[in-house]
Amino acid sequence: MFFSERPPEVLDQWEGLTNVLSRSSELPELPDAATWAEMGPGERDAFNNRRLDYLGADLVISTPQLRAVVRKAQLAVLQNRSRVAGRLGVLISGESTMGKTTACLAAMKTIYGRYALQYPQFMELDHKPVIYIEVPAGCTGKAVVGRFAQFLGLPIRSRDTLESLLTTVVGQLQKSRTVLVVVDEIHNLSTVNNGNGESVDVLKSLSNRVPATFLYAGINIHLGPLLTGDRGQQIRGRFTAEVLHRYMTATTTEKALWKKIIESFEHQLLLFNHHEGDLAADTEYLHDRTRGSIGSLGRLLTGAAQWLISTNVEASDETITREVLESIPLDIDASENWLQSDLAHMDDGK
């Protein structure tokens, strides 16, 4: 039960992305106490595996920020329907652990689902409505195009020039009827050098030649050199931006939203003895612990739930307590902040 039987999916390959986007996000139903008591060890292990896989698949919480990203992506796709030039795009920015890739997935899943409804036979027609690539650090223009080629399953030969490879990729994207192209980790192009400048030009060329909407995502790209100079001005003139930020609790409205986000996670934790609202007394603790990062909050709560499920405790013991939360390690950034906050509280108590 400790290891998943489901092979991991890779987003930057068509088959893996398709599996993720077409996977049902329906919440598994917990059996009642009597049914659980009657289950044999094998049945319980199988159900626990389902719970662990669901919790490990990056729960998507419908926050205002995530809804804004999805809406902007949908609107850009609509506005680009008949454009032959100057197509609009979307830029997602923010610090690490703010949920940028999760927001990308939500946008891709929405567009993919709408396309599948309109064109039920799209798989047989070899359409690829959604494309996802990650930009490698310090890459050249050819390396960026190579990522598209790999996603599309196109051969890459050492003798291929940038232009020949670009022409092949453009042709395949047009043939694939691609409507949304997600370029993640684009902050890797923020350093000003010839290779990165060439890569930005390649992305611009692709957006001009492929009738698709481009969505860029990266760490604090709204503050970096990617949006400066002539190249940056072109992006600023065509892209709408959604900057994902930490959730604050300074006002009553902010506190209510943070509490609602926690409850949304609780609703999906699949524990027998933990229910939505049970962490109401710990909202301030959870904010201090995670610095208001939805990514850190998700890892903390799902990690606690997975630990309780994997340790084979009784159904009545499946409750997330402060002790359980304290036992779950978080990312270095959140942990350092929590230590500083803890020390500050100690000083205040002197």
Side-chain angles (χ1 to χ4, degrees):
M1 188 176 68
F2 197 83
F3 302 101
S4 175
E5 296 179 357
R6 188 168 65 193
E9 306 292 358
V10 181
L11 295 180
D12 58 359
Q13 293 178 4
W14 171 241
E15 183 179 358
L17 182 65
T18 303
N19 289 339
V20 171
L21 298 183
S22 60
R23 184 182 299 156
S24 172
S25 56
E26 185 177 347
L27 186 71
E29 185 177 350
L30 283 173
D32 56 41
T35 303
W36 180 252
E38 292 174 359
M39 282 186 181
E43 286 181 291
R44 288 194 178 190
D45 280 349
F47 181 71
N48 284 342
N49 274 318
R50 286 181 59 204
R51 290 199 283 172
L52 291 171
D53 282 341
Y54 181 85
L55 292 169
D58 294 326
L59 299 188
V60 176
I61 302 301
S62 183
T63 64
Q65 294 182 70
L66 184 139
R67 290 194 295 272
V69 168
V70 173
R71 184 177 183 277
K72 285 179 179 178
Q74 289 179 292
L75 185 58
V77 170
L78 285 172
Q79 291 176 306
N80 287 334
R81 279 182 58 144
S82 301
R83 285 180 182 263
V84 295
R87 295 184 185 89
L88 306 177
V90 180
L91 185 148
I92 306 176
S93 183
E95 298 176 33
S96 179
T97 75
M98 293 299 106
K100 293 181 294 297
T101 300
T102 300
C104 288
L105 279 168
M108 288 190 288
K109 192 156 192 171
T110 299
I111 300 301
Y112 180 91
R114 283 181 172 272
Y115 195 92
L117 284 175
Q118 187 168 343
Y119 301 104
Q121 305 300 318
F122 78 96
M123 294 293 281
E124 289 83 350
L125 297 171
D126 200 25
H127 290 181
K128 295 178 176 62
V130 178
I131 300 291
Y132 175 91
I133 71 158
E134 288 186 359
V135 176
C139 66
T140 62
K142 187 175 179 180
V144 169
V145 181
R147 289 299 175 100
F148 281 93
Q150 289 173 2
F151 184 97
L152 296 166
L154 300 174
I156 303 175
R157 299 162 298 190
S158 58
R159 67 176 182 272
D160 287 332
T161 64
L162 170 59
E163 187 56 39
S164 66
L165 191 57
L166 185 60
T167 299
T168 301
V169 165
V170 167
Q172 187 61 46
L173 289 174
Q174 293 172 342
K175 181 181 176 182
S176 298
R177 300 284 295 274
T178 301
V179 295
L180 180 66
V181 175
V182 175
V183 183
D184 205 353
E185 307 293 330
I186 202 169
H187 55 268
N188 284 328
L189 299 184
S190 292
T191 304
V192 179
N193 61 49
N194 291 336
N196 284 350
E198 180 187 64
S199 298
V200 174
D201 289 340
V202 162
L203 290 174
K204 180 178 178 294
S205 178
L206 281 170
S207 66
N208 286 338
R209 297 165 65 180
V210 177
T213 298
F214 279 65
L215 188 157
Y216 295 163
I219 298 174
N220 288 336
I221 48 179
H222 67 294
L223 300 174
L226 190 68
L227 298 184
T228 61
D230 292 339
R231 291 186 178 101
Q233 186 59 45
Q234 289 180 325
I235 296 174
R236 295 172 69 91
R238 294 184 183 179
F239 281 65
T240 59
E242 184 66 28
V243 180
L244 306 187
H245 54 75
R246 297 181 185 277
Y247 289 90
M248 300 291 106
T249 56
T251 68
T252 301
T253 301
E254 289 173 343
K255 288 178 181 177
L257 176 57
W258 180 248
K259 181 173 179 288
K260 185 176 180 180
I261 290 172
I262 292 170
E263 290 174 348
S264 296
F265 274 110
E266 287 181 289
H267 178 69
Q268 300 188 62
L269 292 181
L270 294 170
L271 297 176
F272 282 101
N273 199 30
H274 190 101
H275 309 285
E276 189 175 317
D278 284 357
L279 289 173
D282 292 305
T283 55
E284 185 177 350
Y285 161 82
L286 290 169
H287 190 270
D288 289 343
R289 182 85 190 276
T290 64
R291 300 180 64 205
S293 161
I294 193 168
S296 296
L297 177 67
R299 283 193 290 276
L300 179 59
L301 296 182
T302 57
Q306 286 178 309
W307 183 254
L308 289 173
I309 295 169
S310 67
T311 49
N312 291 313
V313 297
E314 294 296 324
S316 59
D317 295 327
E318 289 190 359
T319 305
I320 296 180
T321 63
R322 181 73 69 88
E323 182 181 6
V324 173
L325 291 171
E326 291 282 3
S327 73
I328 306 300
L330 278 181
D331 54 274
I332 296 172
D333 187 42
S335 298
E336 286 181 347
N337 182 78
W338 173 242
L339 178 60
Q340 292 170 4
S341 175
D342 228 13
L343 291 173
H345 289 155
M346 291 174 63
D347 290 340
D348 291 341
K350 287 183 178 180

